[in-house]
Amino acid sequence: MRPESLRVWLLSTVCALAACSEQPIARVVDAGSPVDGQADGGASSALARSSRNNLRFKGPERLTLDFAAALALPPDAVCQELGQYPCATVHGVTLGGVEPYNSGLYEPLPATGVTTPIAVDRVALSACARRVGLDVGTPSSAVIFTGVTLDAQGRLASRDGAPVRNAITALYQRGLLRDPTEAEVEALIQLATRVEATGSPTPGRDWMTAACFAVLSSAESVFF
Amino acid sequence: MLRRLILGAAVCLSGEVLAKPPGPGGFCATYPSAPACIGQQPACTLCHTAPPQRNPYGASLEPHLAPGAARPLSDGDFSLALPSALRAVEAEDADGDGVSNLEEVQRGTLPADPSSRPVDTGGCGPGQNPQYDVCRYDARFAYRRVLLDFCGLSPTYAQLKAFAALSAGGQQALLDSELDRCTTTEFWRGKNGQLWKLAHPKIRPVGSLKEGEDRGAIPLADYYDDYALYAYAQLDDHDAREVMTARYFVRRQTQPTRYTRVESLPSQSVESSRRAGNLTSAWSLISFVMFTALPRNAAAQSYRAYLGLDIAKQEGLHSIPGEPRDYDAKGVQAPACAACHATLDPLSYPFRNYNGIAGAASARYVPNRLELFFSDVSPTISQTPEAGYLFGRPVRDLLEWAEVGADSDAFAISAVTDYWKLLVGHAPSAEENAEFVATWRRFRDTHGYSVQRMLHDVIRTEAYGAP
């Protein structure tokens, strides 16, 4: 297994664990959900809700273009299977696309499938890993994680420092077009602790990828 | 749901079966303002599952139709009895969904389908929403959607901030200008862009049969010509009807994509005087006529693709007296077949001289085609006329077929429905019917069938811009 593939696998595991956790981090996995975790009642009951239920899934092309724009990547760099086949093509039907010429699938499937979230996660994680690689590899031209430094063990040098907070803000502004709430910032900061607890040899870098993934794979990011 | 209801049939079954040709018309005479009756008539499925079997609504009507009179009722007796029967069951709830038949009829849902019931949406609930005005049209929400729908990607954080700072008039002007800008992008008009996606179910490409660019293993025709004409008709204030009526072709150039009108293409063979847009393209003839004598499939696909009426779903049935004549001896006069073929066969006659796959004569208009190539099909095949019927109206040939179709409400409804589904995310719902009807009527009456102008109407609707 190539090192890059191993890293992606490890991060997938981290993210999956985070998604299953009952700790606050679980709420970060869907960055668009109320962070207090109360679906009804409590503070969230003050949120006025739409009665139309008409969110639309972005689909393969919009997801690719939006992820590319959010992370300042060329669309071709967002996700490639085996390094050469665009994920939006390979997983096109799963992501709500069509395949008219060879499969006779002229219109998108009427509903997303059970594998659609997996494909979304695949694309988001790939894009985030690419962005993190660029930001860590060439800090002077970093786009998201500007000024975020790592200590000798590869951890975030200052979890609560301004660069980390700025990076979280950048993720929300570029990925969700809004500022994060303080609770959302704190939740992503706490994510660093959870990542370090996994024993990853590169916890700081993995936190960057996981934080990016949490934002880009959220319902708020993939629906419009 | 509403789509199935409003793109319906005028006539259901002929002969002694129980669905009655005057049914939809009688229904609309009784409920002229029902959404199912605006621009079209309801499908047979309003009262039937598969005729003659009735659904719960049809079954509830039957005892009130001239009680005691001998069955089957004549069309005249049925027409006289229908209004009172409809009124007799207005207070009932045929599908048991808690909503009376009358309310379902008036609000455009299906009285025989418990999953189809009026839903009150768009109200203002309690609380605050810092992101969107969820009570009504929110220009900021519409702005994000316009960029995603037409350009393929979201605005930036800074763009969204700047948009929010504009006046209402400034926001509307920017929405309009961004719509116009984005419809020039490859995402919208390019190969495999959004317009091509709308065209896929109409053209129904088959990669292995592709001629020209992206040539397949058995190259028979180049359907990219069809995509080019479709896209051209949708863009730049062109008349969308020309997808059915154009006597010209369209050449696609790339980087960036441009569509240019031309008078001939080496990949097309039908002479100008016999062309009817994509109905007579080489691909349509090769793929939909293929080897058949009477091109029923070509007619049905044209009806479905450009007029939104799917005969297989009992939509758009206009039985012609004396039809089907069964010139090709396929047995379509059997009652179970005649229900649809009384519409489909006269719909198909104008295609009689358009050849499908036949060597050097492929994809051409061939006078006396049936006599030349299909004389052995049946003794009466040569009697097949070139004149036929569309919407119950006689047409002398395919050119008139295309013109009548393109000028119909069905065309406007179908074209706007395509964009409604693309941009709103679903076929027009009962709650959206008023906005939908206003949109297709303006598309037809005010905008001269310009899709570009119609799109500016769509992005102003509550259906599009209310979160």
Side-chain angles (χ1 to χ4, degrees):
Chain A
M1 183 178 286
R2 292 159 57 186
E4 187 177 335
S5 301
L6 179 61
R7 188 175 300 121
V8 169
W9 181 83
L10 280 170
L11 278 165
S12 298
T13 304
V14 169
C15 294
L17 288 171
C20 295
S21 168
E22 293 181 356
Q23 299 301 310
I25 186 58
R27 291 173 240 137
V28 181
V29 171
D30 187 341
S33 300
V35 175
D36 60 18
Q38 299 180 50
D40 292 294
S44 64
S45 66
L47 184 70
R49 299 175 178 199
S50 169
S51 62
R52 291 179 176 79
N53 300 322
N54 190 27
L55 285 176
R56 292 160 55 202
F57 181 55
K58 284 183 178 174
E61 296 90 358
R62 292 188 190 93
L63 276 179
T64 301
L65 292 173
D66 261 4
F67 288 176
L71 301 180
L73 295 170
D76 290 347
V78 166
C79 183
Q80 299 268 336
E81 294 296 4
L82 305 175
Q84 55 184 328
Y85 305 111
C87 295
T89 303
V90 174
H91 307 296
V93 172
T94 298
L95 289 170
V98 295
E99 211 310 301
Y101 307 115
N102 297 310
S103 302
L105 191 64
Y106 304 122
E107 297 180 271
L109 299 174
T112 53
V114 292
T115 57
T116 303
I118 300 171
V120 171
D121 287 359
R122 165 78 181 114
V123 178
L125 195 56
S126 169
C128 288
R130 178 63 66 97
R131 182 71 260 162
V132 169
L134 293 170
D135 281 9
V136 172
T138 318
S140 60
S141 58
V143 172
I144 304 288
F145 299 99
T146 309
V148 177
T149 54
L150 307 178
D151 64 15
Q153 284 75 47
R155 300 172 302 193
L156 295 176
S158 174
R159 281 185 217 149
D160 204 25
V164 167
R165 289 178 173 274
N166 291 343
I168 294 170
T169 299
L171 281 170
Y172 271 78
Q173 289 184 350
R174 297 180 69 102
L176 304 183
L177 312 185
R178 65 175 175 86
D179 294 313
T181 65
E182 188 55 35
E184 288 167 334
V185 173
E186 291 305 320
L188 280 186
I189 288 174
Q190 286 182 40
L191 176 61
T193 306
R194 305 275 309 167
V195 172
E196 288 169 15
T198 66
S200 164
T202 55
R205 184 175 174 138
D206 290 351
W207 171 82
M208 295 178 193
T209 309
C212 171
F213 173 83
V215 173
L216 289 198
S217 65
S218 67
E220 187 175 346
S221 168
V222 302
F223 290 92
F224 73 109
Chain B
M1 173 175 57
L2 183 68
R3 178 87 185 118
R4 281 190 298 168
L5 188 64
I6 65 174
L7 292 182
V11 176
C12 295
L13 290 176
S14 59
E16 62 182 0
V17 287
L18 303 178
K20 304 299 289 182
F27 177 88
C28 288
T30 307
Y31 304 113
S33 62
C37 296
I38 299 175
Q40 288 290 331
Q41 291 182 327
C44 298
T45 48
L46 181 67
C47 294
H48 296 268
T49 48
Q53 289 82 20
R54 297 184 184 87
N55 64 31
Y57 182 57
S60 71
L61 281 170
E62 203 280 337
H64 300 282
L65 285 165
R71 270 28 180 188
L73 296 174
S74 69
D75 285 355
D77 290 343
F78 174 83
S79 296
L80 285 172
L82 182 60
S84 61
L86 288 166
R87 292 200 175 90
V89 300
E90 285 179 346
E92 296 178 14
D93 176 12
D95 54 9
D97 61 3
V99 183
S100 71
N101 295 336
L102 179 61
E103 184 173 354
E104 296 225 44
V105 166
Q106 290 174 330
R107 297 185 65 175
T109 55
L110 299 170
D113 181 357
S115 68
S116 168
R117 62 196 303 273
V119 178
D120 290 317
T121 61
C124 296
Q128 304 288 319
N129 190 312
Q131 290 295 309
Y132 296 112
D133 181 351
V134 296
C135 296
R136 57 190 68 79
Y137 188 92
D138 185 321
R140 191 167 163 276
F141 178 75
Y143 179 57
R144 290 183 71 163
R145 278 203 160 172
V146 163
L147 265 66
L148 277 161
D149 278 328
F150 298 97
C151 275
L153 79 170
S154 299
T156 65
Y157 176 81
Q159 285 176 318
L160 202 56
K161 284 275 190 190
F163 182 86
L166 293 173
S167 65
Q171 290 179 338
Q172 196 59 64
L174 186 57
L175 281 176
D176 286 332
S177 65
E178 288 292 77
L179 168 58
D180 288 336
R181 178 180 69 83
C182 288
T183 51
T184 66
T185 62
E186 293 298 303
F187 179 80
W188 184 256
R189 64 172 64 190
K191 181 181 179 182
N192 295 323
Q194 297 302 93
L195 289 181
W196 282 47
K197 286 184 179 175
L198 290 178
H200 290 325
K202 305 178 192 305
I203 295 168
R204 302 178 70 86
V206 179
S208 59
L209 305 183
K210 176 77 172 62
E211 177 63 279
E213 180 185 348
D214 300 324
R215 179 186 169 106
I218 312 167
L220 293 178
D222 187 352
Y223 46 70
Y224 286 173
D225 293 346
D226 301 56
Y227 285 94
L229 175 57
Y230 178 80
Y232 178 88
Q234 312 298 301
L235 290 167
D236 304 327
D237 281 340
H238 294 145
D239 187 330
R241 292 174 297 178
E242 292 180 0
V243 72
M244 292 183 72
T245 61
R247 306 283 177 94
Y248 57 85
F249 300 115
V250 172
R251 174 175 288 127
R252 176 175 61 95
Q253 296 159 289
T254 58
Q255 298 182 331
T257 298
R258 286 157 292 157
Y259 298 100
T260 309
R261 174 177 170 155
V262 295
E263 297 311 311
S264 65
L265 284 175
S267 48
Q268 300 291 332
S269 304
V270 174
E271 63 267 36
S272 173
S273 62
R274 294 294 182 180
R275 290 177 200 156
N278 275 352
L279 275 56
T280 59
S281 71
W283 172 250
S284 289
L285 300 181
I286 290 291
S287 177
F288 302 133
V289 175
M290 206 172 270
F291 305 103
T292 54
L294 183 57
R296 295 186 179 93
N297 188 43
Q301 173 61 13
S302 299
Y303 205 41
R304 178 190 301 117
Y306 300 107
L307 303 175
L309 298 166
D310 192 337
I311 290 175
K313 295 178 180 174
Q314 303 167 46
E315 296 170 348
L317 298 183
H318 294 259
S319 295
I320 304 302
E323 295 287 353
R325 299 287 294 276
D326 201 12
Y327 294 111
D328 54 350
K330 297 295 184 188
V332 294
Q333 289 177 326
C337 305
C340 292
H341 282 269
T343 297
L344 176 56
D345 284 21
L347 202 65
S348 309
Y349 300 152
F351 289 80
R352 81 177 305 275
N353 286 335
Y354 289 87
N355 224 4
I357 299 174
S362 292
R364 295 175 184 276
Y365 180 88
V366 180
N368 297 318
R369 166 180 169 268
L370 295 180
E371 293 78 359
L372 287 170
F373 297 112
F374 297 96
S375 59
D376 60 340
V377 166
S378 78
T380 56
I381 189 68
S382 63
Q383 297 174 24
T384 307
E386 187 162 17
Y389 287 84
L390 177 64
F391 304 132
R393 171 181 163 177
V395 291
R396 65 179 171 277
D397 56 21
L398 188 56
L399 303 188
E400 188 173 7
W401 191 112
E403 288 168 6
V404 169
D407 289 339
S408 68
D409 286 352
F411 176 84
I413 290 170
S414 177
V416 175
T417 298
D418 284 344
Y419 286 95
W420 201 274
K421 289 165 72 174
L422 181 73
L423 301 172
V424 178
H426 52 254
S429 68
E431 296 74 32
E432 296 161 353
N433 190 59
E435 284 189 316
F436 172 69
V437 170
T439 302
W440 70 255
R441 282 182 169 165
R442 279 173 57 80
F443 173 61
R444 179 194 63 188
D445 300 332
T446 306
H447 297 322
Y449 296 93
S450 161
V451 167
Q452 190 74 17
R453 293 180 209 169
M454 178 268 289
L455 293 175
H456 286 273
D457 284 352
V458 171
I459 67 169
R460 284 174 165 78
T461 61
E462 288 264 330
Y464 184 77

